[in-house]
Amino acid sequence: MADDDVVIEHPNRKTAASRLTRLVVIVLLLASAALVLIVTVGGWSTLEGAKSLQVAFVLVYAILALFVARWSRGVLPLIAGLAVILGIFAAVAAPAWFSRDADGFTDPAVSSRVLGLVCAALIPLQLALIVSAMQGFRQRWNVEAERPRREVEAAAA
């Protein structure tokens, strides 16, 4: 059979569960990036050395959201790993932001309590991202099936 007579399909991408998982992962990535951006911008004057790391997390999460939107299954384990790291950072940072709400500390642009709450919200968000990314990985978005073009055209008609 000639190459022109074959159509490559991805049957696992057509299911409602796969589409929903992809949407959930994208939304969780963008929400995580937004919360990290809030902490970065809101606490810029009081952050010590983690500025570049936080900016990197925002950029990487945005780029990974684009990859997931293009059905890239290979980035899903990477997303889960980065979510573990960001979740640990958030778990360490949240109490530190809450303890800054005392005399003698420099006030950030956004209240320390708000930044602590945002960091605390990042923890369950990262757990949800880990679960969703691994669910997407199990759905095997990369499976390809070759079908003759005439069958595809007959099914579409």
Side-chain angles (χ1 to χ4, degrees):
M1 201 179 286
D3 288 340
D4 293 342
D5 295 335
V6 176
V7 175
I8 296 177
E9 292 184 336
H10 296 87
N12 294 341
R13 295 180 185 179
K14 294 179 180 181
T15 65
S18 293
R19 291 174 185 246
L20 179 63
T21 302
R22 182 179 73 147
L23 178 66
V24 167
V25 170
I26 291 169
V27 168
L28 290 173
L29 281 168
L30 294 177
S32 297
L35 290 180
V36 172
L37 188 62
I38 289 169
V39 171
T40 304
V41 172
W44 188 265
S45 61
T46 56
L47 292 174
E48 296 180 19
K51 295 174 185 177
S52 59
L53 183 63
Q54 288 178 314
V55 170
F57 261 106
V58 171
L59 293 175
V60 167
Y61 269 32
I63 291 169
L64 290 174
L66 290 174
F67 275 103
V68 173
R70 296 177 64 198
W71 289 103
S72 177
R73 176 183 180 246
V75 298
L76 294 174
L78 176 66
I79 290 169
L82 288 173
V84 169
I85 294 169
L86 186 59
I88 291 170
F89 287 160
V92 170
W97 281 115
F98 287 124
S99 68
R100 289 189 64 84
D101 196 22
D103 292 334
F105 287 104
T106 306
D107 290 331
V110 177
S111 170
S112 295
R113 288 184 181 182
V114 172
L115 293 176
L117 185 62
V118 170
C119 285
L122 267 171
I123 299 167
L125 193 64
Q126 296 313 294
L127 291 173
L129 184 57
I130 293 166
V131 170
S132 299
M134 289 297 90
Q135 177 63 31
F137 190 74
R138 273 184 259 143
Q139 291 172 344
R140 301 184 316 171
W141 298 346
N142 61 328
V143 171
E144 295 178 346
E146 291 183 358
R147 292 183 53 198
R149 184 174 302 279
R150 63 180 177 273
E151 285 182 19
V152 174
E153 291 172 355

